[in-house]
Amino acid sequence: MKIVVLDGYTENPGDISWAPLEELGDLTVYDRTAYEESPLIAERIGNAEIAVTNKTPISRETIDRCPNLKGIAVLATGYNVVDYDYAGEKRIPVMNVPVYGTDNVSQYAIALLLEACSRVGYHDMSVHNGDWAGNIDWCYWHYPLIEVSGKTAGIIGLGRIGVNTAKVLNAMNVNVIAYSRSHTEAGEAVAKYVELDELLAKSDFIFLHCPLFPETQGMINKDSIAKMKDGVIIINNSRGPLVVEQDLSDALESGKVAAAALDVVSTEPIRPDNVLLKAKNCILTPHISWATREARERIMNTTAENIRSVMEGKPVHVVNA
């Protein structure tokens, strides 16, 4: 079986092995292929039976130009880069990696919160720049330092990652409330379910852990921000388009939102003219919540499982069945 990986670099920049996929057939790995629709995508897939992608799109046109395709494996949980409905019409299973980074993403969400409250990274850079050595006092801080304990955190989306984040917040003596489409026993054990407006009104910290659907796109906007506490902190390491970035920038400028800590933005890589690059008190990191070595090894192994399942005629983790 011929397998082509279209954009393998972010999954494996050289610190893990492609062996789990190499064992399954003739493997070709491209570090990068265009993130926009391009004839090059179909050219690189060629006559392969399996196409593996992370963020390179696989469109209807590409599928039509690759008649040997028997499966499409996505090196991620999200699969909107593939025209999965059309692939389904062509009886081509599209498979994702549904669980690989629950601990990582919740760990990073807490790290973003602590950075917004304690500014460890900023003050480390300040010391290395000589600010402490040249200071007349024995200590200093350039941002207000915020105590997390005793505050209320609102989590929008209480799935696996949201529950895990809530567990950590509970251990930090943070009261956790949540708004979610479905209620679970696991969620009820770590948070109190409330309506969205109540969450917006009561939360000192708001975490976005929900998927991107038409109904959630742009849910953090000037209207929802107006319902929030003055001085709220917003954490997003879920999906960038959940936030209307101009509205968030305006709220940061006015002080309505005290800080935002974001690992995702609306268009990635971030565009040089993104308003958040110049927004006050906005912490930005390059979509790396998922990227520990341990998590990427789990992605590799699950992707190998997905491909093997196609070879055996019983595809698993299929999103377009």
Side-chain angles (χ1 to χ4, degrees):
M1 178 169 284
K2 186 174 181 181
I3 304 164
V4 172
V5 178
L6 292 168
D7 53 342
Y9 185 82
T10 52
E11 160 65 9
N12 180 17
D15 58 343
I16 62 176
S17 173
W18 288 107
L21 271 61
E22 290 171 337
E23 294 169 0
L24 299 174
D26 177 11
L27 178 69
T28 300
V29 178
Y30 296 99
D31 280 347
R32 299 171 184 87
T33 304
Y35 293 146
E36 299 83 26
E37 177 63 24
S38 165
L40 179 62
I41 299 169
E43 289 174 18
R44 287 189 164 179
I45 295 172
N47 63 354
E49 288 92 351
I50 302 290
V52 181
T53 185
N54 192 327
K55 296 294 183 287
T56 294
I58 298 181
S59 66
R60 172 188 295 254
E61 290 75 19
T62 296
I63 291 169
D64 282 341
R65 292 183 61 195
C66 301
N68 284 356
L69 269 180
K70 292 182 172 60
I72 299 170
V74 183
L75 292 163
T77 301
Y79 47 87
N80 59 309
V81 296
V82 179
D83 190 334
Y84 52 88
D85 285 334
Y86 186 65
E89 291 176 18
K90 305 284 280 189
R91 298 179 182 267
I92 300 170
V94 176
M95 301 156 290
N96 73 339
V97 183
V99 181
Y100 68 89
T102 301
D103 290 337
N104 292 10
V105 178
S106 59
Q107 170 186 311
Y108 204 89
I110 297 297
L112 289 170
L113 172 68
L114 294 178
E115 182 60 30
C117 291
S118 299
R119 300 286 180 162
V120 173
Y122 170 85
H123 285 100
D124 167 72
M125 184 168 56
S126 171
V127 170
H128 280 90
N129 287 339
D131 293 351
W132 197 12
N135 202 63
I136 60 173
D137 297 310
W138 65 273
C139 74
Y140 67 93
W141 53 92
H142 290 166
Y143 287 92
L145 304 180
I146 299 168
E147 186 170 287
V148 171
S149 178
K151 301 294 195 301
T152 295
I155 299 177
I156 300 176
L158 203 62
R160 286 185 296 265
I161 294 170
V163 166
N164 215 46
T165 300
K167 289 178 182 177
V168 180
L169 291 167
N170 288 164
M172 298 169 69
N173 193 37
V174 175
N175 175 50
V176 182
I177 57 178
Y179 171 76
S180 195
R181 292 191 306 167
S182 58
H183 295 196
T184 65
E185 289 185 13
E188 289 172 350
V190 294
K192 177 186 177 184
Y193 285 103
V194 298
E195 292 302 315
L196 181 58
D197 281 356
E198 182 178 349
L199 183 147
L200 297 174
K202 291 184 175 179
S203 298
D204 300 293
F205 317 130
I206 293 178
F207 291 82
L208 302 182
H209 282 317
C210 53
L212 179 63
F213 293 130
E215 60 268 28
T216 60
Q217 183 165 351
M219 69 182 304
I220 302 302
N221 55 51
K222 61 183 179 181
D223 295 328
S224 59
I225 291 171
K227 299 175 182 178
M228 297 177 190
K229 273 187 175 183
D230 292 346
V232 67
I233 293 173
I234 297 174
I235 310 296
N236 184 17
N237 61 335
S238 181
R239 292 290 183 264
L242 297 171
V243 176
V244 178
E245 291 171 339
Q246 184 63 61
D247 292 354
L248 177 58
S249 177
D250 293 342
L252 287 163
E253 185 64 31
S254 71
K256 172 69 177 181
V257 175
L262 315 171
D263 187 46
V264 289
V265 292
S266 58
T267 301
E268 297 172 351
I270 194 168
R271 292 177 176 170
D273 61 351
N274 188 301
V275 294
L276 296 175
L277 287 169
K278 295 182 179 180
K280 284 199 317 186
N281 299 329
C282 187
I283 297 162
L284 296 165
T285 59
H287 201 151
I288 54 174
S289 298
W290 66 282
T292 64
R293 177 172 178 165
E294 294 88 343
R296 289 183 288 109
E297 287 177 339
R298 286 191 287 271
I299 292 172
M300 185 76 75
N301 291 331
T302 302
T303 300
E305 176 190 351
N306 290 345
I307 295 170
R308 187 179 295 107
S309 74
V310 173
M311 295 169 65
E312 294 171 351
K314 297 179 180 179
V316 297
H317 304 139
V318 177
V319 301
N320 62 338

mmCIF file of all heavy atoms in Angstrom, residues 118-139:
data_model
loop_
_atom_site.group_PDB
_atom_site.id
_atom_site.type_symbol
_atom_site.label_atom_id
_atom_site.label_comp_id
_atom_site.label_asym_id
_atom_site.label_seq_id
_atom_site.Cartn_x
_atom_site.Cartn_y
_atom_site.Cartn_z
ATOM 1 N N SER A 118 0.136 35.900 36.581
ATOM 2 C CA SER A 118 1.434 36.073 37.244
ATOM 3 C C SER A 118 2.520 36.651 36.344
ATOM 4 O O SER A 118 3.549 37.106 36.840
ATOM 5 C CB SER A 118 1.919 34.720 37.796
ATOM 6 O OG SER A 118 1.010 34.208 38.743
ATOM 7 N N ARG A 119 2.339 36.601 35.043
ATOM 8 C CA ARG A 119 3.266 37.184 34.065
ATOM 9 C C ARG A 119 4.695 36.679 34.275
ATOM 10 O O ARG A 119 5.663 37.449 34.238
ATOM 11 C CB ARG A 119 3.232 38.709 34.155
ATOM 12 C CG ARG A 119 1.865 39.302 33.889
ATOM 13 C CD ARG A 119 1.498 39.251 32.421
ATOM 14 N NE ARG A 119 0.183 39.828 32.173
ATOM 15 C CZ ARG A 119 -0.246 40.217 30.994
ATOM 16 N NH1 ARG A 119 0.530 40.088 29.938
ATOM 17 N NH2 ARG A 119 -1.451 40.713 30.849
ATOM 18 N N VAL A 120 4.830 35.382 34.475
ATOM 19 C CA VAL A 120 6.142 34.792 34.699
ATOM 20 C C VAL A 120 7.057 35.014 33.499
ATOM 21 O O VAL A 120 8.204 35.447 33.640
ATOM 22 C CB VAL A 120 6.004 33.288 35.007
ATOM 23 C CG1 VAL A 120 7.375 32.616 35.085
ATOM 24 C CG2 VAL A 120 5.241 33.081 36.310
ATOM 25 N N GLY A 121 6.556 34.706 32.302
ATOM 26 C CA GLY A 121 7.373 34.851 31.107
ATOM 27 C C GLY A 121 7.812 36.297 30.887
ATOM 28 O O GLY A 121 8.975 36.563 30.553
ATOM 29 N N TYR A 122 6.876 37.234 31.075
ATOM 30 C CA TYR A 122 7.216 38.640 30.876
ATOM 31 C C TYR A 122 8.308 39.080 31.851
ATOM 32 O O TYR A 122 9.291 39.729 31.457
ATOM 33 C CB TYR A 122 5.976 39.523 31.067
ATOM 34 C CG TYR A 122 6.338 40.986 31.105
ATOM 35 C CD1 TYR A 122 6.482 41.716 29.934
ATOM 36 C CD2 TYR A 122 6.601 41.622 32.321
ATOM 37 C CE1 TYR A 122 6.856 43.041 29.963
ATOM 38 C CE2 TYR A 122 6.987 42.947 32.355
ATOM 39 C CZ TYR A 122 7.113 43.663 31.181
ATOM 40 O OH TYR A 122 7.509 44.984 31.217
ATOM 41 N N HIS A 123 8.148 38.740 33.138
ATOM 42 C CA HIS A 123 9.120 39.201 34.130
ATOM 43 C C HIS A 123 10.462 38.493 33.996
ATOM 44 O O HIS A 123 11.512 39.076 34.286
ATOM 45 C CB HIS A 123 8.541 39.068 35.539
ATOM 46 C CG HIS A 123 7.519 40.122 35.835
ATOM 47 N ND1 HIS A 123 6.171 39.887 35.767
ATOM 48 C CD2 HIS A 123 7.651 41.440 36.151
ATOM 49 C CE1 HIS A 123 5.513 41.000 36.045
ATOM 50 N NE2 HIS A 123 6.386 41.959 36.278
ATOM 51 N N ASP A 124 10.461 37.255 33.538
ATOM 52 C CA ASP A 124 11.722 36.580 33.223
ATOM 53 C C ASP A 124 12.465 37.354 32.137
ATOM 54 O O ASP A 124 13.680 37.614 32.254
ATOM 55 C CB ASP A 124 11.435 35.150 32.766
ATOM 56 C CG ASP A 124 12.648 34.492 32.134
ATOM 57 O OD1 ASP A 124 13.598 34.165 32.860
ATOM 58 O OD2 ASP A 124 12.646 34.313 30.894
ATOM 59 N N MET A 125 11.760 37.737 31.077
ATOM 60 C CA MET A 125 12.382 38.505 30.010
ATOM 61 C C MET A 125 12.867 39.862 30.526
ATOM 62 O O MET A 125 13.952 40.331 30.169
ATOM 63 C CB MET A 125 11.384 38.695 28.859
ATOM 64 C CG MET A 125 11.961 39.392 27.648
ATOM 65 S SD MET A 125 10.851 39.294 26.204
ATOM 66 C CE MET A 125 9.349 40.018 26.872
ATOM 67 N N SER A 126 12.080 40.475 31.407
ATOM 68 C CA SER A 126 12.453 41.763 31.976
ATOM 69 C C SER A 126 13.760 41.666 32.765
ATOM 70 O O SER A 126 14.649 42.519 32.643
ATOM 71 C CB SER A 126 11.323 42.267 32.890
ATOM 72 O OG SER A 126 11.711 43.410 33.619
ATOM 73 N N VAL A 127 13.888 40.601 33.570
ATOM 74 C CA VAL A 127 15.119 40.416 34.346
ATOM 75 C C VAL A 127 16.311 40.208 33.417
ATOM 76 O O VAL A 127 17.378 40.804 33.603
ATOM 77 C CB VAL A 127 14.965 39.232 35.322
ATOM 78 C CG1 VAL A 127 16.320 38.872 35.947
ATOM 79 C CG2 VAL A 127 13.962 39.570 36.418
ATOM 80 N N HIS A 128 16.127 39.365 32.392
ATOM 81 C CA HIS A 128 17.219 39.125 31.450
ATOM 82 C C HIS A 128 17.577 40.375 30.657
ATOM 83 O O HIS A 128 18.715 40.503 30.172
ATOM 84 C CB HIS A 128 16.854 37.979 30.505
ATOM 85 C CG HIS A 128 17.047 36.624 31.099
ATOM 86 N ND1 HIS A 128 16.053 35.972 31.797
ATOM 87 C CD2 HIS A 128 18.128 35.806 31.128
ATOM 88 C CE1 HIS A 128 16.504 34.813 32.220
ATOM 89 N NE2 HIS A 128 17.750 34.682 31.827
ATOM 90 N N ASN A 129 16.649 41.294 30.536
ATOM 91 C CA ASN A 129 16.930 42.558 29.848
ATOM 92 C C ASN A 129 17.596 43.584 30.744
ATOM 93 O O ASN A 129 17.900 44.702 30.305
ATOM 94 C CB ASN A 129 15.634 43.146 29.276
ATOM 95 C CG ASN A 129 15.138 42.384 28.057
ATOM 96 O OD1 ASN A 129 15.902 41.678 27.402
ATOM 97 N ND2 ASN A 129 13.859 42.523 27.743
ATOM 98 N N GLY A 130 17.819 43.231 32.024
ATOM 99 C CA GLY A 130 18.554 44.114 32.928
ATOM 100 C C GLY A 130 17.705 44.963 33.841
ATOM 101 O O GLY A 130 18.241 45.763 34.616
ATOM 102 N N ASP A 131 16.371 44.809 33.807
ATOM 103 C CA ASP A 131 15.507 45.677 34.603
ATOM 104 C C ASP A 131 15.698 45.493 36.107
ATOM 105 O O ASP A 131 15.598 46.460 36.874
ATOM 106 C CB ASP A 131 14.039 45.434 34.245
ATOM 107 C CG ASP A 131 13.712 45.865 32.826
ATOM 108 O OD1 ASP A 131 14.565 46.500 32.186
ATOM 109 O OD2 ASP A 131 12.601 45.557 32.357
ATOM 110 N N TRP A 132 15.967 44.266 36.537
ATOM 111 C CA TRP A 132 16.137 44.039 37.982
ATOM 112 C C TRP A 132 17.495 44.555 38.451
ATOM 113 O O TRP A 132 17.605 45.210 39.482
ATOM 114 C CB TRP A 132 16.001 42.550 38.290
ATOM 115 C CG TRP A 132 15.746 42.249 39.748
ATOM 116 C CD1 TRP A 132 15.406 43.138 40.731
ATOM 117 C CD2 TRP A 132 15.787 40.973 40.363
ATOM 118 N NE1 TRP A 132 15.233 42.490 41.925
ATOM 119 C CE2 TRP A 132 15.464 41.150 41.726
ATOM 120 C CE3 TRP A 132 16.050 39.682 39.902
ATOM 121 C CZ2 TRP A 132 15.417 40.082 42.631
ATOM 122 C CZ3 TRP A 132 15.993 38.632 40.802
ATOM 123 C CH2 TRP A 132 15.688 38.831 42.158
ATOM 124 N N ALA A 133 18.528 44.269 37.664
ATOM 125 C CA ALA A 133 19.876 44.715 38.037
ATOM 126 C C ALA A 133 19.939 46.236 38.156
ATOM 127 O O ALA A 133 20.699 46.783 38.978
ATOM 128 C CB ALA A 133 20.891 44.215 37.015
ATOM 129 N N GLY A 134 19.132 46.930 37.384
ATOM 130 C CA GLY A 134 19.151 48.380 37.415
ATOM 131 C C GLY A 134 18.038 49.001 38.238
ATOM 132 O O GLY A 134 17.810 50.215 38.155
ATOM 133 N N ASN A 135 17.337 48.188 39.033
ATOM 134 C CA ASN A 135 16.180 48.691 39.780
ATOM 135 C C ASN A 135 16.600 49.233 41.141
ATOM 136 O O ASN A 135 17.470 48.656 41.819
ATOM 137 C CB ASN A 135 15.166 47.553 39.967
ATOM 138 C CG ASN A 135 13.765 48.066 40.224
ATOM 139 O OD1 ASN A 135 13.179 48.734 39.371
ATOM 140 N ND2 ASN A 135 13.225 47.760 41.390
ATOM 141 N N ILE A 136 15.989 50.316 41.577
ATOM 142 C CA ILE A 136 16.359 50.906 42.872
ATOM 143 C C ILE A 136 15.723 50.153 44.042
ATOM 144 O O ILE A 136 16.177 50.268 45.180
ATOM 145 C CB ILE A 136 15.978 52.397 42.943
ATOM 146 C CG1 ILE A 136 14.462 52.584 42.769
ATOM 147 C CG2 ILE A 136 16.751 53.190 41.901
ATOM 148 C CD1 ILE A 136 13.998 54.025 42.991
ATOM 149 N N ASP A 137 14.664 49.371 43.782
ATOM 150 C CA ASP A 137 14.020 48.577 44.829
ATOM 151 C C ASP A 137 14.438 47.114 44.693
ATOM 152 O O ASP A 137 14.901 46.672 43.646
ATOM 153 C CB ASP A 137 12.501 48.694 44.712
ATOM 154 C CG ASP A 137 12.021 50.119 44.921
ATOM 155 O OD1 ASP A 137 12.429 50.729 45.923
ATOM 156 O OD2 ASP A 137 11.263 50.612 44.066
ATOM 157 N N TRP A 138 14.212 46.337 45.764
ATOM 158 C CA TRP A 138 14.656 44.946 45.743
ATOM 159 C C TRP A 138 13.750 44.041 44.911
ATOM 160 O O TRP A 138 14.117 42.927 44.579
ATOM 161 C CB TRP A 138 14.791 44.405 47.167
ATOM 162 C CG TRP A 138 13.502 44.321 47.936
ATOM 163 C CD1 TRP A 138 12.934 45.307 48.685
ATOM 164 C CD2 TRP A 138 12.631 43.203 48.013
ATOM 165 N NE1 TRP A 138 11.747 44.883 49.229
ATOM 166 C CE2 TRP A 138 11.542 43.587 48.845
ATOM 167 C CE3 TRP A 138 12.643 41.911 47.491
ATOM 168 C CZ2 TRP A 138 10.492 42.728 49.138
ATOM 169 C CZ3 TRP A 138 11.598 41.059 47.788
ATOM 170 C CH2 TRP A 138 10.528 41.463 48.613
ATOM 171 N N CYS A 139 12.556 44.535 44.581
ATOM 172 C CA CYS A 139 11.689 43.795 43.668
ATOM 173 C C CYS A 139 10.802 44.788 42.919
ATOM 174 O O CYS A 139 10.748 45.982 43.273
ATOM 175 C CB CYS A 139 10.846 42.762 44.414
ATOM 176 S SG CYS A 139 9.476 43.463 45.369
#
